[in-house]
Amino acid sequence: MLIFEPIMSIFKLKINFEEQGKETIELPIAGGESVLDVCLDHGIELQHNCGGVCGCSTCHVYVSKGMDNIQEISDKEEDFIDRAVRPRITSRLGCQCVIIDGDIEVTIPDQSEFLGH
């Protein structure tokens, strides 16, 4: 008897940094994974005071490409983004940037400027 496991789609996460001295990196990201999860798995500093449950604004990122490849923004997430430092129209919370289908490119703001909200 053959058992088939579902094939997990793997996409590309390109991360740019506002912080001086940090170079752009590309990492694999699986469908269903969040930007925050991948950052934490690879030792990338992205604050997450609430533990990644959409309860603060500290994992705030800017999505420059692939906005259609992540889950839609919720009202709760929008409320927290309003509290983030220097939010933009492309702002999302890393914990809520869950890949649906396709690549994504984000910029992580300088983490030394952020306080918990």
Side-chain angles (χ1 to χ4, degrees):
M1 177 176 180
L2 293 175
I3 299 175
F4 293 98
E5 293 189 25
I7 297 173
M8 186 178 298
S9 298
I10 303 295
F11 304 103
K12 180 175 64 175
L13 168 60
K14 184 174 184 179
I15 304 173
N16 304 299
F17 299 89
E18 282 187 349
E19 190 175 335
Q20 296 292 339
K22 289 194 174 184
E23 304 224 357
T24 297
I25 61 171
E26 290 186 6
L27 298 169
I29 186 167
E33 261 189 310
S34 74
V35 168
L36 176 62
D37 290 337
V38 173
C39 286
L40 297 178
D41 288 347
H42 290 87
I44 297 168
E45 183 180 342
L46 182 55
Q47 294 182 33
H48 54 287
N49 291 355
C50 73
V53 296
C54 195
C56 69
S57 65
T58 58
C59 68
H60 170 238
V61 298
Y62 304 117
V63 178
S64 48
K65 292 182 184 169
M67 191 71 84
D68 292 338
N69 298 333
I70 56 178
Q71 290 181 347
E72 286 189 37
I73 193 167
S74 67
D75 291 339
K76 182 178 179 181
E77 181 183 0
E78 270 189 279
D79 289 344
F80 282 109
I81 287 173
D82 288 341
R83 302 175 195 182
V85 177
R86 292 188 313 280
R88 302 177 188 161
I89 193 75
T90 61
S91 291
R92 292 292 303 266
L93 299 180
C95 67
Q96 300 302 296
C97 288
V98 176
I99 297 299
I100 296 171
D101 185 31
D103 299 337
I104 184 172
E105 181 175 344
V106 301
T107 299
I108 296 179
D110 186 340
Q111 295 294 283
S112 65
E113 299 179 13
F114 289 83
L115 301 173
H117 288 81

